Amino acid sequence: MTEVSSLTGRLLVAAPTLADPNFDRAVVLLLDHDEEGSLGVVLNRPTPVGVGDILASWAGLTGEPDVVFRGGPVSLDSALGVAVIPGDEGPLGWRRVHGAIGLVDLETPPELLAAALGSLRIFAGYAGWGPGQLETELTDGAWYVVESEPGDVSSPRPENLWRAVLRRQRSELAMIATYPDDPSLN
């Protein structure tokens, strides 16, 4: 078995040519990546469902937009909390994934985390890949791998995140941000 270099904490930015509608112009934060597979959440798919409609106790702690995000096509009936907590130590109920970004145990009473939270997003479902599957997609050019920033998790304009992440790259990737939504109209 080949060794997998962990991409945990990085972003997968969908190539404009990625044909899967679940990931059209998606920005995925990888929460786990190893030889057993990968798991992440799509950061730029807000739903019309308010956080208060399904997790009322967490509603006051999420940023704008205060809605549930569609984290991916797997397990849409489950919820994941992703939070940014500055500093070296996180509170009980939070597990660091990368830098200041971590997972919130949504069974934890919100008041235990409230004072520490820099930002919080709730995701219904997740994106998952089996062993070697993501590596194959990367080799095929379906995704660009870039560094994440804590603000990506809580972008107030998630509909602009795909372009914003590409624009900030210091390479030819920045030019891809100008790729038209419908190239046939070009």
Side-chain angles (χ1 to χ4, degrees), residues 68-124:
V68 175
F69 281 66
R70 188 171 191 261
V74 182
S75 293
L76 290 171
D77 58 344
S78 65
L80 287 170
V82 177
V84 174
I85 296 184
D88 294 331
E89 295 295 319
L92 184 68
W94 181 77
R95 180 179 63 84
R96 185 177 313 279
V97 170
H98 178 76
I101 301 168
L103 286 167
V104 172
D105 177 356
L106 296 173
E107 298 295 320
T108 302
E111 56 273 9
L112 293 180
L113 290 139
L117 287 175
S119 66
L120 170 67
R121 280 271 157 83
I122 305 295
F123 297 89

Side-chain angles (χ1 to χ4, degrees), residues 12-60:
L12 298 178
V13 180
T17 55
L18 182 61
D20 184 338
N22 289 305
F23 298 110
D24 181 42
R25 302 218 174 191
V27 177
V28 177
L29 172 66
L30 282 175
L31 300 171
D32 192 23
H33 176 254
D34 58 27
E35 64 279 346
E36 295 178 21
S38 305
L39 180 140
V41 289
V42 179
L43 297 177
N44 58 336
R45 295 283 193 276
T47 72
V49 179
V51 172
D53 295 338
I54 61 164
L55 292 169
S57 60
W58 290 98

Side-chain angles (χ1 to χ4, degrees), residues 149-160:
E149 295 181 2
D152 296 332
V153 171
S154 59
S155 173
R157 305 216 30 217
E159 67 278 3
N160 295 337

